Amino acid sequence: MYAQCPDCLTVFSMDAELLAQARGHVVCGHCQVEFDALLSLSSQLPPEPFQYLPSRENSGRLPRADAAVYRPRPEQVFAPASTPAAENGDFSQLVFSPRFAREAKSSAGRRWPWLVACLVLLLLLCAQLAWAKRDVLIADATAGSWLRQACTGLGCRLPLVQDVHRLRLLARDVQAHPSVPGALLISATVRNDASFDQPWPVVSVTLSDVDGKRIAMRRLQPAEYLGDSAALERGLAAGGNAALVLEVEDPGNKAVAFEIGFE
C-alpha cells in the first residue's frame, strides 16, 4: 500500500500494521509534516507520469464487510480488547478454529457411512473366501479347532471333510458267508486319525490269486455297507473306530489274498 505526503508530495510505501497502530497518522520522513495517510492510501501506484495519488474523503457511510475468511465457533471465548493480555500483546489465551479444520471435521462426519459400507463388504468377502476354502480350514489343526468351538457355541454343525490318508485299517478278516452260498463275508476295523469328523469312505475290495494277479474287485458305497442312515449322516467321528462288514461274491478257490482300500 502507498500514501502521499500532502506537503512535499513524497510517496511512501506503507505497512498495514503501522497504520493500524497510529490510526492512520504518520510523520513524513522528508519534510517532517504529520498527515493522515488514510486520505491518500492506495493499493497500487497509478501509471506514470503521476503527481498526486487520488485522495479519499470520508463518505460518512460505513462499508459492508462480506468477504469473510474466518469466523469463530459460538462456544469459543475471546479475551476483550481492553484486557491486560490484549494490551500487552499476549494473545496466548485466544482460541482459533481455522476454517479448514471445521471443513475437515464436517468431511469426517460425512465419510463414516462409506467406511462402514467398506467394512461390511470386506467382511462379506472374507466370509466368501472362508466358505470357498472351508475344507482346508476345517482340516487345519488350529483353524478347525476354533471353528468347531464356535459352532458348538452357536449350535451349528460343520460340514464333513474327507481325508482318506488319515484313515487307518486296524484289523481285517475274510470268511465264507454263513448264510449266503457263493459269497464271502469280510470284516474290517478302521480308525479315523484326523482331528475332525470324516464322511464314510468308499471301500474297495480287491481279490488276487497266488501269483498276486487281480481276479476280482468291488467298490462299495457307504450306503451299501451301512444300514444306519443317522450314522451315515454323522460320519466317522474324529479319533473313533468303526467295524465294517462287507459282503462280496466268492470268485472261487483261486482267490487266496485280498486287499482293502479307502477312496
Side-chain angles (χ1 to χ4, degrees):
M1 292 182 294
Y2 304 92
Q4 188 175 36
C5 174
D7 189 64
C8 65
L9 303 183
T10 304
V11 177
F12 297 94
S13 176
M14 308 302 297
D15 183 83
E17 185 175 354
L18 294 177
L19 288 176
Q21 291 178 355
R23 302 296 188 270
H25 291 274
V26 297
V27 175
C28 176
H30 179 70
C31 64
Q32 309 303 318
V33 171
E34 180 181 341
F35 66 95
D36 188 354
L38 298 179
L39 296 179
S40 61
L41 190 65
S42 176
S43 61
Q44 59 184 2
L45 294 175
E48 294 185 1
F50 72 91
Q51 185 175 4
Y52 297 99
L53 289 178
S55 61
R56 293 179 175 81
E57 299 296 336
N58 189 354
S59 64
R61 186 176 55 183
L62 297 179
R64 181 181 178 85
D66 289 323
V69 296
Y70 163 75
R71 185 173 62 185
R73 292 176 296 179
E75 65 270 15
Q76 291 177 328
V77 179
F78 292 86
S82 60
T83 59
E87 293 176 356
N88 297 333
D90 182 9
F91 297 95
S92 62
Q93 302 300 322
L94 299 182
V95 179
F96 296 92
S97 176
R99 181 172 57 182
F100 69 85
R102 299 195 305 273
E103 292 177 352
K105 182 178 180 181
S106 176
S107 299
R110 294 192 299 266
R111 197 163 53 238
W112 72 263
W114 291 100
L115 295 178
V116 172
C118 291
L119 180 60
V120 171
L121 292 176
L122 180 60
L123 292 176
L124 290 176
L125 178 61
C126 292
Q128 290 180 347
L129 291 175
W131 178 255
K133 299 294 184 180
R134 59 187 181 277
D135 290 353
V136 178
L137 294 176
I138 295 174
D140 183 76
T142 303
S145 177
W146 292 345
L147 291 174
R148 282 186 289 274
Q149 291 177 7
C151 261
T152 301
L154 297 174
C156 61
R157 187 168 181 269
L158 294 175
L160 298 176
V161 176
Q162 188 171 48
D163 186 357
V164 295
H165 299 291
R166 301 190 187 184
L167 296 177
R168 179 177 299 182
L169 186 63
L170 300 180
R172 61 179 184 171
D173 184 38
V174 60
Q175 58 183 351
H177 200 292
S179 57
V180 179
L184 297 177
L185 191 65
I186 299 176
S187 60
T189 303
V190 61
R191 184 175 69 193
N192 180 14
D193 287 339
S195 60
F196 48 88
D197 298 350
Q198 291 200 52
W200 295 96
V202 175
V203 179
S204 62
V205 180
T206 304
L207 301 176
S208 56
D209 59 14
V210 67
D211 296 326
K213 183 179 179 181
R214 178 188 301 176
I215 59 176
M217 179 181 178
R218 184 177 178 186
R219 298 173 70 252
L220 299 169
Q221 298 294 328
E224 296 182 77
Y225 62 82
L226 282 180
D228 188 352
S229 59
L232 183 62
E233 183 179 355
R234 289 193 305 268
L236 185 54
N241 297 341
L244 308 181
V245 179
L246 313 174
E247 295 178 337
V248 297
E249 184 179 356
D250 188 355
N253 296 329
K254 292 183 180 181
V256 296
F258 73 99
E259 182 180 353
I260 295 179
F262 304 110
E263 301 175 11

